[in-house]
Amino acid sequence: MKHFLSINSCSSQELLELLELSIDLKKLYKSNKRVLCLAGKSLAMIFEKPSLRTRMSFQVAMTNLGGASVYVKPEDVGGIGKREPLKDMARILSGYVDGIMVRTFAHETATGLAEYASVPVINALTDWSHPCQAMADIMTAKEHFGKIEGLKFAFIGDGNNVARSLAFGCAKLGMRIEIASPAGYELDKGSIERANAIKPGTVVQSSDPIQAVKDADLIYTDTWVSMGQEEEKAKRINDFQGFQVNMDMLKAAASHVRVMHCLPAYRGYEITDEVCECENSIIFLEAENRLHFQRALLKKLMSSN
């Protein structure tokens, strides 16, 4: 595995190895031990979309492993692929750093960097895929339930990049996911077909959130208005009425159900404050695990040990 661009491009074995490494390194670091396998190495962190969790988790992970990170703002590059060709940027950065992390809009930006870079490229988010988030989510599920095979996610909301990445993760790792979305916001049919081709019956798309949560182990939601969709805010809030994760929805689920959100959460919209703070919520454990998964990912891609 040279790059990490989407869950769909990884084998089941590679994903399982990353999960096990994430959990092992987390235990090690919780016991105040360090694996300085990236000493002297540097990671370029390119951001077209800002994020608290992405920047902090990658930067801290690199520090934990003995390496360094360089934060690259959009204005530093004059817009990715605008001031200079993407293929030039990829090769220039490859001469300076040992890895490239990109959080951007178009998935083609991440794949284009990977095509021309001679160092590992990590997709920290594109509009099509959010593999680091989904793997941290699955890691959290494994920690909580002690297994992943056979678990069911109920994803309530927009069939977006997170839903797509979770769908591929479920297909590769023996889980199921039911995505409940308003009309017009479903996960695209192509992604559902690709996931179900890996393992038939993995993904079900519905319009009934209450039905979706009834036999779920995990209820997952995300913002109704992602970055770049601000002009659609009023319409989206109206369209997503009835899809809020609230205590009434939790009552329709099994008592063991756990609630997840990739954050930031807009409390009072896609999720209530009461649910965020209830005993079923594992949202902040999930957020912490971004650090632990990304530490494992960096070690896997950038270390020779």
Side-chain angles (χ1 to χ4, degrees), residues 10-278:
C10 299
S11 70
S12 299
Q13 186 59 38
E14 287 171 334
L15 297 176
L16 286 170
E17 288 174 3
L18 281 170
L19 287 174
E20 293 301 325
L21 182 58
S22 302
I23 292 169
D24 289 345
L25 286 178
K26 180 177 180 178
K27 291 176 181 176
L28 199 66
Y29 278 77
K30 290 290 186 179
S31 64
N32 293 316
K33 296 178 181 178
R34 295 291 182 265
V35 178
L36 304 179
C37 59
L38 297 185
K41 294 193 175 184
S42 299
L43 175 73
M45 305 193 306
I46 306 171
F47 284 80
E48 278 193 312
K49 285 185 170 184
S51 171
L52 171 66
R53 282 152 299 283
T54 298
R55 180 175 180 179
M56 287 295 296
S57 55
F58 271 106
Q59 195 162 343
V60 172
M62 279 299 293
T63 302
N64 287 163
L65 295 170
S69 55
V70 182
Y71 178 59
V72 183
K73 303 186 295 294
E75 53 266 35
D76 294 333
V77 294
I80 297 177
K82 294 180 180 178
R83 189 167 67 190
E84 60 184 333
L86 187 66
K87 59 186 179 182
D88 290 5
M89 181 180 175
R91 288 178 284 198
I92 290 165
L93 287 173
S94 296
Y96 294 154
V97 298
D98 305 282
I100 300 168
M101 180 231 83
V102 61
R103 180 178 168 92
T104 185
F105 290 91
H107 191 69
E108 292 73 21
T109 299
T111 57
L113 284 169
E115 181 179 357
Y116 291 98
S118 58
V119 298
V121 175
I122 296 170
N123 172 11
L125 175 140
T126 66
D127 286 352
W128 190 81
S129 178
H130 201 352
C132 292
Q133 179 66 60
M135 287 301 292
D137 299 335
I138 295 168
M139 175 191 173
T140 307
K142 182 174 176 62
E143 279 189 315
H144 185 79
F145 290 102
K147 64 173 187 175
I148 49 176
E149 190 167 359
L151 294 179
K152 178 189 171 182
F153 281 87
F155 189 98
I156 311 301
D158 194 0
N160 59 12
N161 52 358
V162 178
R164 183 178 294 105
S165 295
L166 282 172
F168 291 141
C170 287
K172 299 267 185 177
L173 298 171
M175 297 173 285
R176 296 181 294 133
I177 184 168
E178 184 165 349
I179 304 170
S181 311
Y185 296 94
E186 302 92 346
L187 182 61
D188 67 283
K189 290 182 180 179
S191 294
I192 294 174
E193 289 172 357
R194 288 170 73 179
N196 285 337
I198 298 168
K199 185 176 180 182
T202 294
V203 185
V204 173
Q205 178 73 61
S206 77
S207 58
D208 187 345
I210 298 301
Q211 183 62 39
V213 304
K214 280 186 177 178
D215 60 343
D217 302 292
L218 299 136
I219 298 174
Y220 200 114
T221 191
D222 191 4
T223 178
W224 293 340
V225 186
S226 296
M227 203 173 300
Q229 298 172 337
E230 290 81 4
E231 292 183 359
E232 305 172 25
K233 182 175 180 179
K235 182 179 187 303
R236 282 176 166 265
I237 289 172
N238 181 68
D239 291 347
F240 280 89
Q241 293 306 304
F243 287 82
Q244 182 187 72
V245 177
N246 52 36
M247 293 307 294
D248 286 339
M249 187 176 290
L250 259 63
K251 289 174 185 176
S255 60
H256 73 269
V257 77
R258 291 296 178 262
V259 177
M260 305 181 85
H261 192 306
C262 56
L263 300 178
Y266 297 92
R267 302 183 186 210
Y269 289 95
E270 74 273 5
I271 192 168
T272 64
D273 184 77
E274 188 177 9
V275 170
C276 285
E277 302 296 340
C278 76

